[in-house]
Amino acid sequence: GASRLFPWAGIDFNAKLYLSDKNNKLRSWDGAATTLTTVSDGVKTGVTMLAFEGHILVVHYYNHTGATEHRRSMAWSEVSDGDVWTAAVTNQAGDMDFIEDASDAMTAATLGQFLLAVYKESSIYLVNKIGGTFVMERRLIVQGIGAISPRAVVNLGDRHLIWGVDGFYQFDGQSVQQMRSPVEDFVFSDMAPKKRRFIRSTILGEFSEAIWAYVPTAASDSRPDKLVCYNYLEGTWSTR
């Protein structure tokens, strides 16, 4: 079942709720049935799942049997049909590899209206839909900088705030800028490095804050109960 490391995530797509937790096969619910339906075609599930340009996408995914882990890949469903994942000449399902370096694919987030940013541990790509035979097109934009965990990217719409392996960064689709933080040294020394995949992030729009939660080194469990916060209007940092 779901775990604290990979909890259930859901998206509303084409009048169905699709659920994934990486450990179980992709499932759907139409709002009427009393049980979830297992999606039996193609992909199993992914570390990250989101909707983009009429498709469901999964990043760092397993095939349906769970036998093969695609650590540096992304797959997408047929247009408007989250039940079809096997590519064919009659559909627009497909997959894409990000193999320029050996790091794992971590996550993806929409950027603006028509772009998708895919984050590995040490690189950033932009993906856009082109249709036709290839469906999606990718470009390697940044090398040497990426996301430290699958849920370390805060999406502000026109830009992303990223907790990277060696610092905090901002990416607007063209360039990446390091965000100088007076609490950075403390956070990296306080964070349990072997538990960085438990990092979570969110936005408190009412207070214009991006918040990352992490597991401290002193913790006896894997609960991410320490916070680092960034006010993106004032440019100020704090920890809690």
Side-chain angles (χ1 to χ4, degrees):
S3 65
R4 189 177 296 166
L5 179 55
F6 296 109
W8 286 106
I11 60 172
D12 185 2
F13 182 81
N14 198 29
K16 289 184 180 180
L17 177 65
Y18 285 86
L19 297 166
S20 170
D21 76 335
K22 183 179 181 289
N23 296 316
N24 291 284
K25 295 171 182 174
L26 187 64
R27 300 177 186 182
S28 67
W29 183 56
D30 63 6
T34 57
T35 59
L36 298 175
T37 299
T38 298
V39 177
S40 59
D41 180 54
V43 73
K44 177 177 182 261
T45 189
V47 170
T48 299
M49 178 175 67
L50 71 159
F52 176 68
E53 290 283 352
H55 304 263
I56 296 179
L57 286 80
V58 289
V59 178
H60 187 158
Y61 66 93
Y62 288 78
N63 66 352
H64 183 67
T65 63
T68 304
E69 182 180 13
H70 300 268
R71 303 177 68 92
R72 295 182 285 276
S73 302
M74 176 181 76
W76 58 88
S77 71
E78 162 68 320
V79 176
S80 302
D81 191 344
D83 296 338
V84 177
W85 290 83
T86 300
V89 294
T90 56
N91 67 36
Q92 291 194 52
D95 59 79
M96 175 181 289
D97 296 326
F98 303 88
I99 56 175
E100 280 72 12
D101 64 66
S103 65
D104 287 353
M106 285 295 175
T107 190
T110 55
L111 185 60
Q113 188 173 0
F114 301 111
L115 290 175
L116 181 80
V118 175
Y119 292 89
K120 299 181 69 179
E121 287 179 306
S122 56
S123 52
I124 305 173
Y125 296 78
L126 284 182
V127 174
N128 62 287
K129 184 174 180 179
I130 59 174
T133 303
F134 297 102
V135 187
M136 303 283 181
E137 177 183 61
R138 69 177 181 86
R139 290 173 286 151
L140 175 60
I141 303 296
V142 177
Q143 289 182 291
I145 298 170
I148 195 172
S149 81
R151 293 171 177 82
V153 176
V154 174
N155 189 350
L156 297 183
D158 61 347
R159 58 193 168 110
H160 296 162
L161 306 180
I162 311 151
W163 185 336
V165 174
D166 61 353
F168 292 88
Y169 297 88
Q170 179 174 264
F171 179 59
D172 63 4
Q174 298 182 9
S175 62
V176 63
Q177 302 292 330
Q178 187 166 12
M179 299 192 296
R180 300 295 180 182
S181 169
V183 302
E184 183 177 298
D185 289 344
F186 166 77
V187 170
F188 273 88
S189 63
D190 188 46
M191 177 193 68
K194 292 184 178 180
K195 297 180 180 179
R196 65 187 192 181
R197 291 229 174 190
F198 291 93
I199 290 173
R200 300 290 184 264
S201 63
T202 190
I203 299 173
L204 285 182
E206 180 180 356
F207 301 102
S208 303
E209 278 191 325
I211 297 177
W212 294 268
Y214 64 92
V215 182
T217 55
S220 59
D221 58 18
S222 299
R223 191 182 306 276
D225 57 5
K226 294 290 288 293
L227 305 179
V228 53
C229 311
Y230 175 67
N231 186 302
Y232 47 84
L233 290 185
E234 298 177 358
T236 55
W237 293 84
S238 62
T239 58
R240 297 169 193 169

